[in-house]
């Protein structure tokens, strides 16, 4: 079984409007192979070198969700002709697209894959994680004292709050295209505020960005956008909750 939700949303700024595409998919083991036809020959050649099922699954989760996110934003693209390769810090790079300025942000966890497609002029980052005890202990060791204090100020169990902050930092590192190869203190969260069913954060050092997070069951997903952008994420979060619950 495979469940796929995709669509697009607006990125409203004071003097301009941009658009992003998204795909949220959940696939049972083995079902992703049904989508192999979406791979570009370069991607298929790399896929065939992967020896372990888990690595093959994560690769397909990323590539399939990314291509379907591109398709949600650009009807002109032949997704089989697009290749998504890894940059030197493992960030995804879109190659051979008709819409030359499109880029993607990708995340996956278990059988869940989420991708955003966006114009290069307007960066976005996304990350999803599942909360569990072992991960929480590892995350706590990486958070600052201020961040740990923030986890106690919101109506969430601390393991979920810690995971949420981690996803915010991961999503920001994807915007910066460095991954977690930098001093994590540079990604520090300055605030954590509940707004309706969502949580928002500002960053201590990279003040030009903000994070928006949603928790559904054991999963937390965070998006990072420029601070002066207002994204219309209602459908995205609805599909995220539906996919996790299914």
């Amino acid at each position: 079984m495979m469940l796929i939700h995709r669509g697009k949303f607006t990125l409203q700024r004071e003097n301009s409007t941009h658009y992003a595409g998204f795909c949220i998919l959940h696939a049972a083991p083995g079902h992703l192979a049904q989508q192999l036809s979406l791979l570009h020959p370069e991607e298929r050649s790399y896929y065939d070198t992967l020896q372990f099922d888990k690595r093959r699954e994560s690769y397909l989760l990323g590539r399939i969700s990314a291509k379907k996110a591109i398709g949600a934003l650009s009807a002109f693209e032949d997704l089989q002709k697009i290749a998504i390769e890894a940059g030197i810090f493992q960030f995804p790079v879109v190659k051979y697209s008709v819409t030359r300025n499109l880029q993607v942000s990708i995340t996956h966890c278990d059988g869940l894959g989420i991708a955003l497609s966006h114009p290069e002029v307007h960066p976005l980052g996304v990350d999803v994680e599942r909360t569990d005890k072992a991960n929480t202990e590892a995350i706590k060791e990486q958070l600052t004292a201020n961040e740990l204090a923030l986890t106690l100020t919101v109506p969430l169990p601390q393991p979920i709050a810690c995971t949420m902050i981690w996803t915010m930092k991961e999503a920001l590192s994807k915007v910066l295209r460095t991954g977690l190869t930098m001093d994590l203190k540079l990604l520090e969260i300055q605030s954590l505020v509940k707004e309706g069913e969502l949580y928002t954060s500002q960053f201590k050092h990279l003040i030009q960005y903000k994070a928006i997070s949603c928790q559904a069951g054991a999963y937390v997903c965070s998006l990072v956008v420029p601070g002066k952008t207002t994204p219309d994420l209602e459908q995205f979060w609805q599909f995220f909750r539906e996919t996790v619950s299914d």
Side-chain angles (χ1 to χ4, degrees), residues 119-139:
E120 204 161 18
V121 297
H122 193 290
L124 293 174
V126 63
D127 191 61
V128 66
E129 299 286 347
R130 178 171 56 84
T131 303
D132 65 47
K133 185 175 181 180
N135 280 349
T136 299
E137 293 307 312
I139 288 171

Side-chain angles (χ1 to χ4, degrees), residues 11-27:
L11 301 160
Q12 189 65 51
R13 295 180 61 78
E14 183 179 1
N15 297 313
S16 62
T17 302
H18 306 274
Y19 298 91
F22 70 85
C23 175
I24 304 173
L25 69 83
H26 187 268

Side-chain angles (χ1 to χ4, degrees), residues 6-7 21-23 64-74 115-117:
R6 62 178 183 168
F22 70 85
C23 175
I64 293 167
S65 60
K67 291 197 177 192
K68 290 188 177 293
I70 291 171
L73 187 58
S74 175
L116 305 177
S117 62

Side-chain angles (χ1 to χ4, degrees), residues 32-41 43-44 60 64 67 78-81:
L32 284 166
Q34 298 172 1
Q35 301 289 318
L36 282 174
S37 61
L38 278 179
L39 296 185
H40 183 277
E43 296 170 321
R44 182 58 191 260
L60 287 179
I64 293 167
K67 291 197 177 192
D78 183 343
L79 302 183
Q80 294 169 305
K81 293 183 178 179

Side-chain angles (χ1 to χ4, degrees), residues 133-148:
K133 185 175 181 180
N135 280 349
T136 299
E137 293 307 312
I139 288 171
K140 280 184 176 181
E141 294 178 2
Q142 300 297 327
L143 300 186
T144 66
N146 179 62
E147 289 171 331
L148 286 171

Side-chain angles (χ1 to χ4, degrees), residues 57-198:
E57 180 184 358
S58 65
Y59 182 79
L60 287 179
L61 276 172
R63 293 308 181 273
I64 293 167
S65 60
K67 291 197 177 192
K68 290 188 177 293
I70 291 171
L73 187 58
S74 175
F76 304 105
E77 298 289 1
D78 183 343
L79 302 183
Q80 294 169 305
K81 293 183 178 179
I82 292 174
I84 299 170
E85 69 172 22
I88 59 171
F89 294 122
Q90 300 306 304
F91 55 85
V93 179
V94 179
K95 296 171 60 180
Y96 313 131
S97 65
V98 175
T99 313
R100 299 291 181 184
N101 69 332
L102 279 188
Q103 291 302 331
V104 292
S105 182
I106 303 169
T107 184
H108 49 78
C109 178
D110 303 328
L112 181 66
I114 302 175
L116 305 177
S117 62
H118 58 90
E120 204 161 18
V121 297
H122 193 290
L124 293 174
V126 63
D127 191 61
V128 66
E129 299 286 347
R130 178 171 56 84
T131 303
D132 65 47
K133 185 175 181 180
N135 280 349
T136 299
E137 293 307 312
I139 288 171
K140 280 184 176 181
E141 294 178 2
Q142 300 297 327
L143 300 186
T144 66
N146 179 62
E147 289 171 331
L148 286 171
L150 288 174
T151 66
L152 304 177
T153 66
V154 290
L156 288 171
Q158 192 180 35
I160 292 177
C162 287
T163 303
M164 183 173 288
I165 289 177
W166 183 257
T167 61
M168 292 173 168
K169 297 170 83 160
E170 278 258 29
L172 178 59
S173 77
K174 293 176 183 179
V175 170
L176 302 176
R177 293 190 153 198
T178 61
L180 298 178
T181 61
M182 61 195 301
D183 186 338
L184 297 184
K185 292 185 178 65
L186 294 174
L187 305 175
E188 185 174 358
I189 299 295
Q190 179 70 36
S191 59
L192 183 61
V193 178
K194 187 176 189 297
E195 296 185 4
E197 297 182 344
L198 304 176

